[in-house]
Amino acid sequence: MDKAAQSSQTVITISLMLGLFVSGLDTSIVNIMLPTLQSAFQVRADQIMMLATMYLTMMAALQLLFGRCADIFDAAMIFLMGIFLFMLGSIGCALSLSFGHILSGRVIQGIGGAMMAASFGALILSEFPRDRIGSILGAVIMVMSFGTIIGPPLGGYLAQHISWHWAFIINIPLCLLSGAALALHLRSRARPRRSFQENIKQLDLPGGILSIIMFTTLPLGLVSLAKNGWHPLQTGGLFGLFVCSLILFIAVEKRAETPLLQLAVFRDRSLTMLITIKVVLFMALNGILVIFPFFLTRSVGMSPSAAGMLMLANAGAMAVVTPLAGKLTDRLGGSGIMTCGSLGLLVISSSAFILPGSPSFILLATVLILFGAGFAAVLISSTAMLLECAPAGQEGVFSAMNSLTMSVGGSLGLSLFSYLYAVGAAGKTGPVAAEGGLVTALTGVTVCAALLLTIAVIYITTTNAAAKATTGTRS
């Protein structure tokens, strides 16, 4: 590799790290700031929760559309625009004088975050050799994880000692650095340009609108189900809209000259298995994030701050293991790492059933660390293999599908494990209720881990059989 290409890849890596770091930091820092913001703007609890809900809704709803834009216009340009919008939204939030102002800023942040999430995988695929994808993913996701880790304590400090405005102000220099690095890369390269009119003709706007409706109503419906149970008008209406938009989306994509998503790609069993693995993985991860805080505070008797510090063991382990998992994926292949990670999750989730009634801090931290290591191994290996499935011209769409698995799997996990915990705790009180909820929810995590391992084994069997058939045909 010549020095110019190596320098360009370094600049892109720095931009990706800073951009995704600020995205992870902002999400966690704002969540811990919500009580402070509720007091500052004098609104109800359900209103202040809209700051988190609207951001996540924008992130999910716009993924496919921006992923296709990354393929048509340029992944680096879409990521740069995402950084700019995220910074603009941060400025708006920091200067807000009313709840309406800060909510608008969060929507703009969500749009910028969606552009970054949808295009970062395509940018990696277009700028790095395939045998380095795992390593780059591991490094970038590690930095994003650190942003998520330091967000809560930093947000708490800012809220208590300085001002909530700084939760958004600190995003601005990070966005500027990330954007400057990527702009430097864009200036240094020569790339053929088509007119805006030529590009826009390739964008399937009806499919884009339907995808926005689909991935707005599905997460909101799952959140409503977890929060309010089945409500015919609210929950049922959201799921009804999702089903109708899904049917229309399939019909439109089949007839579109340049579809938003090539439906034929789902005939590839390997791809559908990888997507399923990622959705189930994020379901299980959200299960751990949902059930353990309840168990720690209500059964073990920890304070909320102590429980929060202990939960960092899970995130910290993921941050540490992701770069190692990325390098091993490049060196040994993703399928083996994915299978080992799935097996580890199954072993630790099964072993967690025998936790003593009053487990020590070290034992609980060990369990959470092992969970984090297993999640990291499956996450990096499955992400690398999913992105590598992308055909030419569909890198952005596959990057968007990869990001959507987090939104959909997370929403499913929140809904499922909230329900399982409630079932296990029903009819009980105090620590007994917390232990009952933990056992029931852990059963769900164990089932998810077993499903991950089963699909991983089937994936290896299927791909090996396909490789032998291809070799036999060539010979």
Side-chain angles (χ1 to χ4, degrees):
M1 183 189 302
D2 59 42
K3 288 185 177 180
Q6 190 172 13
S7 176
S8 178
Q9 289 180 1
T10 301
V11 168
I12 294 168
T13 303
I14 291 171
S15 179
L16 286 170
M17 284 180 169
L18 288 171
L20 295 179
F21 172 82
V22 76
S23 177
L25 175 69
D26 183 83
T27 301
S28 60
I29 205 172
V30 170
N31 286 345
I32 204 70
M33 278 272 189
L34 290 177
T36 301
L37 293 171
Q38 182 185 2
S39 301
F41 291 104
Q42 295 296 301
V43 293
R44 300 189 310 271
D46 62 320
Q47 288 178 297
I48 206 65
M49 286 300 296
M50 290 178 65
L51 295 181
T53 303
M54 290 304 297
Y55 178 84
L56 295 175
T57 301
M58 290 296 102
M59 285 282 288
L62 297 168
Q63 289 288 322
L64 273 185
L65 182 60
F66 285 144
R68 182 59 180 150
C69 287
D71 290 329
I72 296 172
F73 294 96
D74 183 4
M77 186 60 69
I78 296 299
F79 193 87
L80 181 60
M81 290 176 64
I83 295 168
F84 173 76
L85 283 176
F86 197 92
M87 183 176 70
L88 188 65
S90 298
I91 294 171
C93 289
L95 299 177
S96 295
L97 299 175
S98 70
F99 179 70
H101 290 161
I102 195 170
L103 183 60
S104 299
R106 286 295 281 169
V107 169
I108 295 172
Q109 280 187 313
I111 296 171
M115 296 180 87
M116 289 191 284
S119 59
F120 91 92
L123 185 53
I124 290 174
L125 285 172
S126 63
E127 301 291 345
F128 294 90
R130 294 292 172 112
D131 60 358
R132 290 190 61 203
I133 288 177
S135 297
I136 299 300
L137 280 172
V140 169
I141 293 177
M142 175 190 69
V143 173
M144 183 174 66
S145 299
F146 279 129
T148 305
I149 290 169
I150 69 173
L154 179 59
Y157 177 82
L158 292 173
Q160 185 173 350
H161 299 289
I162 305 180
S163 168
W164 64 264
H165 299 82
W166 281 92
F168 302 102
I169 293 173
I170 60 175
N171 295 339
I172 298 170
L174 295 171
C175 288
L176 285 172
L177 288 172
S178 177
L182 196 53
L184 182 66
H185 163 72
L186 287 170
R187 285 192 60 185
S188 66
R189 70 174 186 177
R191 188 180 179 91
R193 292 187 177 182
R194 293 175 300 194
S195 69
F196 180 79
Q197 290 77 11
E198 288 177 310
N199 284 329
I200 206 70
K201 285 179 182 177
Q202 297 185 57
L203 189 60
D204 174 22
L205 288 178
I209 293 169
L210 288 168
S211 75
I212 291 173
I213 298 172
M214 282 165 50
F215 293 111
T216 299
T217 52
L218 177 60
L220 288 179
L222 290 168
V223 170
S224 176
L225 183 64
K227 202 173 184 182
N228 309 313
W230 181 261
H231 189 283
L233 290 178
Q234 186 174 337
T235 310
L238 287 167
F239 282 130
L241 275 173
F242 167 71
V243 172
C244 291
S245 58
L246 174 61
I247 293 171
L248 288 172
F249 178 79
I250 294 172
V252 166
E253 295 307 283
K254 284 183 176 179
R255 293 172 174 79
E257 188 175 339
T258 55
L260 191 74
L261 176 62
Q262 297 280 356
L263 299 178
V265 299
F266 293 106
R267 294 173 188 165
D268 183 351
R269 288 184 62 196
S270 298
L271 174 63
T272 55
M273 282 189 283
L274 287 172
I275 291 174
T276 303
I277 283 171
K278 294 212 63 178
V279 171
V280 175
L281 176 70
F282 283 113
M283 285 175 61
L285 176 57
N286 274 267
I288 296 299
L289 297 179
V290 166
I291 62 177
F292 260 84
F294 281 96
F295 174 70
L296 296 176
T297 55
R298 297 183 181 178
S299 182
V300 179
M302 287 187 176
S303 66
S305 59
M309 290 298 294
L310 183 58
M311 290 301 297
L312 290 179
N314 180 263
M318 289 189 68
V320 170
V321 173
T322 46
L324 175 62
K327 289 180 179 179
L328 289 174
T329 295
D330 288 339
R331 187 172 299 177
L332 304 176
S335 56
I337 304 302
M338 182 173 67
T339 304
C340 290
S342 301
L343 178 60
L345 286 174
L346 180 58
V347 170
I348 190 62
S349 60
S350 302
S351 303
F353 282 105
I354 58 174
L355 280 173
S358 300
S360 67
F361 186 93
I362 293 176
L363 178 59
L364 289 168
T366 302
V367 170
L368 289 169
I369 287 170
L370 292 173
F371 267 125
F375 285 130
V378 180
L379 172 63
I380 296 300
S381 55
S382 61
T383 300
M385 290 189 292
L386 176 58
L387 292 178
E388 288 171 1
C389 289
Q394 290 278 305
E395 293 90 346
V397 171
F398 272 62
S399 177
M401 286 196 296
N402 172 66
S403 297
L404 271 172
T405 59
M406 179 173 66
S407 301
V408 175
S411 298
L412 281 168
L414 177 64
S415 176
L416 173 64
F417 287 99
S418 296
Y419 172 76
L420 289 175
Y421 187 90
V423 168
K428 307 178 184 73
T429 58
V432 176
E435 290 174 16
L438 175 72
V439 169
T440 307
L442 269 178
T443 303
V445 173
T446 305
V447 170
C448 286
L451 184 58
L452 283 173
L453 181 59
T454 302
I455 299 173
V457 171
I458 295 173
Y459 177 86
I460 291 176
T461 304
T462 303
T463 51
N464 286 345
K468 287 181 181 178
T470 303
T471 303
T473 303
R474 287 176 181 173
S475 60

